[in-house]
Amino acid sequence: MEPHADPPANDAATAAGVAADGLVAALRQEAIRLGFSRLGVARAEPPSRQDAVRRWLDQGFAGVMESWFERQMPLRDDPATLLPGVRSVIMLATDHATKPGGQDAGACEAGRGRVARYAWGDDYHELLRGRVNRLAAWLEARAPGCRTRGVVDSAPLAEREFAWRAGLGWFGKNTMLIDPRSGSFFLLTALLTDLELPADAPVEVDHCGTCTACLDACPTSAFVEPRVLDASRCISALTIEEHGPLAADLRPGLADWVFGCDVCQEVCPWNRHAPGSTDPAFQPRDEGATPSLAALLELDDEAFRRRFAGSPVLRAKRRGLLRSAAIALGNRPHAPSFDALAAALADEEPVVRGAAAWALGRWRQLADGVGERAHAALAARLAAETDADVRAEIERALA
Ligand code: SF4
Ligand code: SF4
């Protein structure tokens, strides 16, 4: 499916006598048979929002993803860098929410953390890569001689803009693409081809209207203005991509999120009637949606890799996930988790030790002897701790 050379743009659809409209209708049917939810076609013209993305980068709003974006930007300017001679970008949406609607907003049971919906089940990259490769093979069989390339997330393609152009939704104030019938809980996949296919019309209407629910609900005030996200404050970026210590002022906002955050989607009225997915790949694994925080803190490296094999949660790395689990316990103390949290003060990773110290500092006010135990655990650790940053965390926690 990968391009091998730079041949001229392909007229296989017409050369083979295949009516392009009929081809897209059949392609749509095949995509749905393979497990995709919707499909739209955009012309493969360079994206028009690159300047806005550059301004966003220059303002420092990409946070920990800045260097990734910097590397990708020159290549994102033109989809032909991914497939020479490309004429059409077929954008595919896959609904992933296994519970329909946004009714899950709010905290889960004490002692448990929350995981963003897309990560409840299997890692979608492999799943969607397999599906898009099968769809590409189908297209190549129907239009012999055409060239294709499937893209799932990792290649430098302005996927959301192409999805908007392909009619898959409008840009909500929460920056997500929202489909008027299906909401925003969907994943994007692209299939590039040198076939000239009829393009769909973009959703030009801003269906957000006067609503500001997502902007108001964001726990860390990560929206600078509608449709402008400061990723350095976004829980999703912080819990998935940032594996070091988190700024103290952002920690309370994490509440019980340990991987990702769905708040600005859960409150969106367009997700109230979103269809649920019955795809087995997205069904929650064992405790996938609300894992026990104490159990997370007890994972060593091998147990972490075993537990999250084939899950998107692996991306957080052990130290990032355990750091977030400790912070979640600091935000919502749960006495039965005390031993796991106190043991995390001696974790091999300084970032986990520091987060456990911060959390236990917040437990010091608790009644029934829990506060005293938290104080004693911190004081004992201070005597043994050699890392300067962790010592500083412990001292602040004891202050
Ligand atoms: Fe805010 Fe969470 Fe949305 Fe990020 S994902 S912008 S933290 S509500
Ligand atoms: Fe738009 Fe309201 Fe949804 Fe935000 S919550 S994306 S403002 S409709």
Side-chain angles (χ1 to χ4, degrees):
M1 261 53 91
E2 299 289 322
H4 302 295
D6 286 18
N10 195 294
D11 287 321
T14 44
V18 182
D21 277 338
L23 182 62
V24 172
L27 182 73
R28 185 167 275 122
Q29 225 173 14
E30 180 64 8
I32 288 167
R33 192 188 70 77
L34 287 171
F36 293 107
S37 310
R38 290 174 296 289
L39 171 159
V41 178
R43 263 187 279 283
E45 290 158 359
S48 60
R49 298 160 56 94
Q50 288 294 84
D51 285 349
V53 178
R54 283 203 176 83
R55 274 197 304 280
W56 176 79
L57 266 173
D58 291 345
Q59 287 168 299
F61 293 148
V64 72
M65 298 178 293
E66 185 173 326
S67 56
W68 182 85
F69 266 101
E70 294 286 5
R71 281 197 307 278
Q72 294 239 330
M73 283 305 281
L75 301 170
R76 280 165 62 107
D77 280 340
D78 189 350
T81 55
L82 292 173
L83 181 71
V86 62
R87 286 180 171 180
S88 306
V89 181
I90 301 158
M91 290 303 306
L92 300 135
T94 307
D95 294 327
H96 66 76
T98 47
K99 280 189 183 174
Q103 72 272 35
D104 280 344
C108 60
E109 204 180 309
R112 293 188 174 275
R114 299 187 76 196
V115 171
R117 290 176 190 227
Y118 84 86
W120 289 0
D122 296 344
D123 190 330
Y124 66 89
H125 291 90
E126 282 309 305
L127 177 81
L128 297 182
R129 196 168 292 125
R131 287 179 184 173
V132 77
N133 285 345
R134 286 196 287 283
L135 191 62
W138 179 94
L139 186 59
E140 288 173 11
R142 292 294 292 258
C146 80
R147 289 176 307 125
T148 62
R149 178 166 180 181
V151 170
V152 185
D153 232 14
S154 49
L157 181 74
E159 283 161 322
R160 282 194 202 178
E161 171 160 350
F162 283 108
W164 168 73
R165 282 196 206 164
L168 292 186
W170 84 95
F171 282 103
K173 291 178 187 173
N174 61 2
T175 73
M176 304 299 292
L177 205 67
I178 306 176
D179 179 286
R181 290 167 303 280
S182 307
S184 63
F185 287 114
F186 60 86
L187 302 162
L188 289 175
T189 310
L191 178 57
L192 281 63
T193 177
D194 61 350
L195 291 172
E196 184 89 53
L197 299 174
D200 288 287
V203 180
E204 298 284 8
V205 180
D206 173 8
H207 292 284
C208 285
T210 57
C211 175
T212 57
C214 55
L215 311 181
D216 302 338
C218 176
T220 49
S221 306
F223 293 108
V224 182
E225 57 185 80
R227 301 183 178 88
V228 180
L229 175 72
D230 179 354
S232 70
R233 299 187 65 83
C234 174
I235 295 167
S236 200
L238 294 172
T239 53
I240 298 171
E241 308 293 348
E242 174 59 80
H243 308 134
L246 301 185
D249 66 316
L250 294 174
R251 296 174 196 170
L254 256 65
D256 44 16
W257 290 102
V258 293
F259 186 90
C261 167
D262 283 336
V263 170
C264 57
Q265 295 190 80
E266 286 180 339
V267 299
C268 180
W270 293 93
N271 278 328
R272 262 182 222 149
H273 306 293
S277 169
T278 54
D279 195 324
F282 297 125
Q283 301 308 311
R285 291 172 166 213
D286 188 26
E287 292 199 342
T290 56
S292 152
L293 295 169
L296 292 182
L297 287 172
E298 284 161 359
L299 294 173
D300 63 19
D301 213 40
E302 197 194 322
F304 169 78
R305 277 187 272 111
R306 214 177 27 244
R307 174 163 175 178
F308 294 110
S311 154
V313 175
L314 266 189
R315 189 167 178 86
K317 301 194 184 305
R318 175 186 177 273
R319 64 180 182 277
L321 185 69
L322 269 63
R323 170 212 59 196
S324 300
I327 291 174
L329 279 172
N331 288 330
R332 203 168 177 212
H334 176 245
S337 304
F338 176 85
D339 289 344
L341 187 58
L345 281 175
D347 193 89
E348 68 194 73
E349 296 283 356
V351 65
V352 177
R353 301 203 297 277
W358 177 83
L360 285 167
R362 300 190 114 206
W363 284 39
R364 286 180 56 219
Q365 309 308 322
L366 299 184
D368 299 328
V370 181
E372 284 84 349
R373 290 176 71 201
H375 183 98
L378 284 164
R381 183 62 209 174
L382 185 60
E385 183 60 61
T386 54
D387 183 284
D389 293 336
V390 182
R391 284 187 67 83
E393 283 281 7
I394 298 173
E395 281 162 359
R396 277 193 294 274
L398 285 169

mmCIF file of all heavy atoms in Angstrom, residues 36 92-96 118 124 127-128 184-189 282:
data_model
loop_
_atom_site.group_PDB
_atom_site.id
_atom_site.type_symbol
_atom_site.label_atom_id
_atom_site.label_comp_id
_atom_site.label_asym_id
_atom_site.label_seq_id
_atom_site.Cartn_x
_atom_site.Cartn_y
_atom_site.Cartn_z
ATOM 1 N N PHE A 36 -15.673 0.592 9.948
ATOM 2 C CA PHE A 36 -15.680 2.057 10.061
ATOM 3 C C PHE A 36 -17.133 2.516 10.196
ATOM 4 O O PHE A 36 -18.066 1.820 9.777
ATOM 5 C CB PHE A 36 -15.045 2.697 8.818
ATOM 6 C CG PHE A 36 -13.572 2.414 8.688
ATOM 7 C CD1 PHE A 36 -13.085 1.528 7.719
ATOM 8 C CD2 PHE A 36 -12.658 3.025 9.537
ATOM 9 C CE1 PHE A 36 -11.734 1.265 7.602
ATOM 10 C CE2 PHE A 36 -11.297 2.764 9.428
ATOM 11 C CZ PHE A 36 -10.833 1.875 8.457
ATOM 12 N N LEU A 92 -12.066 8.538 7.267
ATOM 13 C CA LEU A 92 -12.928 7.513 7.861
ATOM 14 C C LEU A 92 -13.095 7.794 9.346
ATOM 15 O O LEU A 92 -12.110 8.027 10.049
ATOM 16 C CB LEU A 92 -12.290 6.137 7.661
ATOM 17 C CG LEU A 92 -12.076 5.781 6.181
ATOM 18 C CD1 LEU A 92 -10.706 5.201 5.963
ATOM 19 C CD2 LEU A 92 -13.182 4.866 5.697
ATOM 20 N N ALA A 93 -14.316 7.786 9.823
ATOM 21 C CA ALA A 93 -14.591 7.979 11.255
ATOM 22 C C ALA A 93 -14.984 6.639 11.859
ATOM 23 O O ALA A 93 -15.705 5.857 11.229
ATOM 24 C CB ALA A 93 -15.721 8.987 11.443
ATOM 25 N N THR A 94 -14.498 6.382 13.079
ATOM 26 C CA THR A 94 -14.875 5.157 13.797
ATOM 27 C C THR A 94 -15.386 5.544 15.184
ATOM 28 O O THR A 94 -14.616 6.018 16.031
ATOM 29 C CB THR A 94 -13.658 4.212 13.958
ATOM 30 O OG1 THR A 94 -13.076 3.982 12.673
ATOM 31 C CG2 THR A 94 -14.079 2.879 14.576
ATOM 32 N N ASP A 95 -16.678 5.375 15.421
ATOM 33 C CA ASP A 95 -17.240 5.653 16.751
ATOM 34 C C ASP A 95 -16.628 4.659 17.742
ATOM 35 O O ASP A 95 -16.533 3.472 17.460
ATOM 36 C CB ASP A 95 -18.766 5.471 16.734
ATOM 37 C CG ASP A 95 -19.439 6.515 15.847
ATOM 38 O OD1 ASP A 95 -18.933 7.646 15.780
ATOM 39 O OD2 ASP A 95 -20.458 6.184 15.212
ATOM 40 N N HIS A 96 -16.235 5.173 18.914
ATOM 41 C CA HIS A 96 -15.575 4.265 19.864
ATOM 42 C C HIS A 96 -16.249 4.212 21.226
ATOM 43 O O HIS A 96 -15.895 3.375 22.058
ATOM 44 C CB HIS A 96 -14.100 4.653 20.054
ATOM 45 C CG HIS A 96 -13.910 5.987 20.719
ATOM 46 N ND1 HIS A 96 -14.094 6.174 22.069
ATOM 47 C CD2 HIS A 96 -13.593 7.203 20.227
ATOM 48 C CE1 HIS A 96 -13.876 7.441 22.363
ATOM 49 N NE2 HIS A 96 -13.578 8.093 21.261
ATOM 50 N N TYR A 118 -11.623 6.352 24.812
ATOM 51 C CA TYR A 118 -11.000 5.676 23.666
ATOM 52 C C TYR A 118 -9.986 4.632 24.111
ATOM 53 O O TYR A 118 -9.579 3.777 23.325
ATOM 54 C CB TYR A 118 -10.351 6.707 22.719
ATOM 55 C CG TYR A 118 -8.971 7.139 23.114
ATOM 56 C CD1 TYR A 118 -7.855 6.395 22.715
ATOM 57 C CD2 TYR A 118 -8.758 8.266 23.903
ATOM 58 C CE1 TYR A 118 -6.576 6.785 23.092
ATOM 59 C CE2 TYR A 118 -7.487 8.657 24.278
ATOM 60 C CZ TYR A 118 -6.410 7.908 23.871
ATOM 61 O OH TYR A 118 -5.151 8.288 24.256
ATOM 62 N N TYR A 124 -6.189 1.374 19.359
ATOM 63 C CA TYR A 124 -6.892 1.513 18.076
ATOM 64 C C TYR A 124 -5.944 1.558 16.873
ATOM 65 O O TYR A 124 -6.367 1.332 15.746
ATOM 66 C CB TYR A 124 -7.768 2.769 18.090
ATOM 67 C CG TYR A 124 -7.018 4.080 18.170
ATOM 68 C CD1 TYR A 124 -6.598 4.736 17.022
ATOM 69 C CD2 TYR A 124 -6.722 4.664 19.393
ATOM 70 C CE1 TYR A 124 -5.903 5.936 17.099
ATOM 71 C CE2 TYR A 124 -6.022 5.859 19.474
ATOM 72 C CZ TYR A 124 -5.622 6.487 18.321
ATOM 73 O OH TYR A 124 -4.928 7.659 18.392
ATOM 74 N N LEU A 127 -5.701 -1.847 15.174
ATOM 75 C CA LEU A 127 -7.037 -2.196 14.683
ATOM 76 C C LEU A 127 -7.364 -1.426 13.402
ATOM 77 O O LEU A 127 -7.754 -1.999 12.376
ATOM 78 C CB LEU A 127 -8.057 -1.845 15.777
ATOM 79 C CG LEU A 127 -9.509 -2.076 15.424
ATOM 80 C CD1 LEU A 127 -9.842 -3.547 15.615
ATOM 81 C CD2 LEU A 127 -10.424 -1.217 16.304
ATOM 82 N N LEU A 128 -7.195 -0.101 13.457
ATOM 83 C CA LEU A 128 -7.580 0.729 12.316
ATOM 84 C C LEU A 128 -6.583 0.587 11.170
ATOM 85 O O LEU A 128 -6.965 0.695 9.997
ATOM 86 C CB LEU A 128 -7.718 2.192 12.752
ATOM 87 C CG LEU A 128 -8.812 2.442 13.797
ATOM 88 C CD1 LEU A 128 -8.924 3.916 14.134
ATOM 89 C CD2 LEU A 128 -10.175 1.929 13.318
ATOM 90 N N SER A 184 -18.830 13.518 19.056
ATOM 91 C CA SER A 184 -17.377 13.662 18.847
ATOM 92 C C SER A 184 -16.561 12.463 19.303
ATOM 93 O O SER A 184 -15.340 12.477 19.193
ATOM 94 C CB SER A 184 -16.872 14.908 19.577
ATOM 95 O OG SER A 184 -17.069 14.771 20.972
ATOM 96 N N PHE A 185 -17.211 11.436 19.841
ATOM 97 C CA PHE A 185 -16.422 10.282 20.299
ATOM 98 C C PHE A 185 -16.097 9.362 19.121
ATOM 99 O O PHE A 185 -16.644 8.261 19.009
ATOM 100 C CB PHE A 185 -17.172 9.514 21.386
ATOM 101 C CG PHE A 185 -17.213 10.222 22.719
ATOM 102 C CD1 PHE A 185 -18.408 10.679 23.235
ATOM 103 C CD2 PHE A 185 -16.057 10.417 23.453
ATOM 104 C CE1 PHE A 185 -18.457 11.319 24.462
ATOM 105 C CE2 PHE A 185 -16.086 11.054 24.683
ATOM 106 C CZ PHE A 185 -17.286 11.512 25.184
ATOM 107 N N PHE A 186 -15.264 9.849 18.228
ATOM 108 C CA PHE A 186 -14.845 8.984 17.118
ATOM 109 C C PHE A 186 -13.375 9.202 16.798
ATOM 110 O O PHE A 186 -12.797 10.250 17.113
ATOM 111 C CB PHE A 186 -15.722 9.184 15.879
ATOM 112 C CG PHE A 186 -15.740 10.570 15.290
ATOM 113 C CD1 PHE A 186 -14.782 10.963 14.374
ATOM 114 C CD2 PHE A 186 -16.740 11.468 15.631
ATOM 115 C CE1 PHE A 186 -14.813 12.233 13.815
ATOM 116 C CE2 PHE A 186 -16.782 12.744 15.074
ATOM 117 C CZ PHE A 186 -15.806 13.126 14.168
ATOM 118 N N LEU A 187 -12.783 8.187 16.188
ATOM 119 C CA LEU A 187 -11.365 8.217 15.800
ATOM 120 C C LEU A 187 -11.263 8.418 14.293
ATOM 121 O O LEU A 187 -12.158 7.986 13.557
ATOM 122 C CB LEU A 187 -10.704 6.885 16.180
ATOM 123 C CG LEU A 187 -10.777 6.524 17.661
ATOM 124 C CD1 LEU A 187 -10.511 5.036 17.878
ATOM 125 C CD2 LEU A 187 -9.772 7.355 18.447
ATOM 126 N N LEU A 188 -10.182 9.044 13.862
ATOM 127 C CA LEU A 188 -10.016 9.318 12.439
ATOM 128 C C LEU A 188 -8.935 8.443 11.815
ATOM 129 O O LEU A 188 -7.903 8.185 12.436
ATOM 130 C CB LEU A 188 -9.632 10.784 12.233
ATOM 131 C CG LEU A 188 -10.734 11.800 12.496
ATOM 132 C CD1 LEU A 188 -10.186 13.215 12.384
ATOM 133 C CD2 LEU A 188 -11.921 11.608 11.536
ATOM 134 N N THR A 189 -9.197 8.022 10.602
ATOM 135 C CA THR A 189 -8.229 7.291 9.787
ATOM 136 C C THR A 189 -8.292 7.914 8.398
ATOM 137 O O THR A 189 -9.362 8.357 7.982
ATOM 138 C CB THR A 189 -8.618 5.798 9.679
ATOM 139 O OG1 THR A 189 -8.872 5.298 10.992
ATOM 140 C CG2 THR A 189 -7.532 4.966 9.024
ATOM 141 N N PHE A 282 -13.423 -2.093 21.399
ATOM 142 C CA PHE A 282 -13.525 -0.912 22.257
ATOM 143 C C PHE A 282 -14.205 -1.205 23.598
ATOM 144 O O PHE A 282 -14.331 -0.314 24.434
ATOM 145 C CB PHE A 282 -14.275 0.217 21.539
ATOM 146 C CG PHE A 282 -13.563 0.707 20.301
ATOM 147 C CD1 PHE A 282 -14.203 0.732 19.074
ATOM 148 C CD2 PHE A 282 -12.245 1.129 20.376
ATOM 149 C CE1 PHE A 282 -13.539 1.176 17.935
ATOM 150 C CE2 PHE A 282 -11.576 1.572 19.245
ATOM 151 C CZ PHE A 282 -12.223 1.594 18.014
#
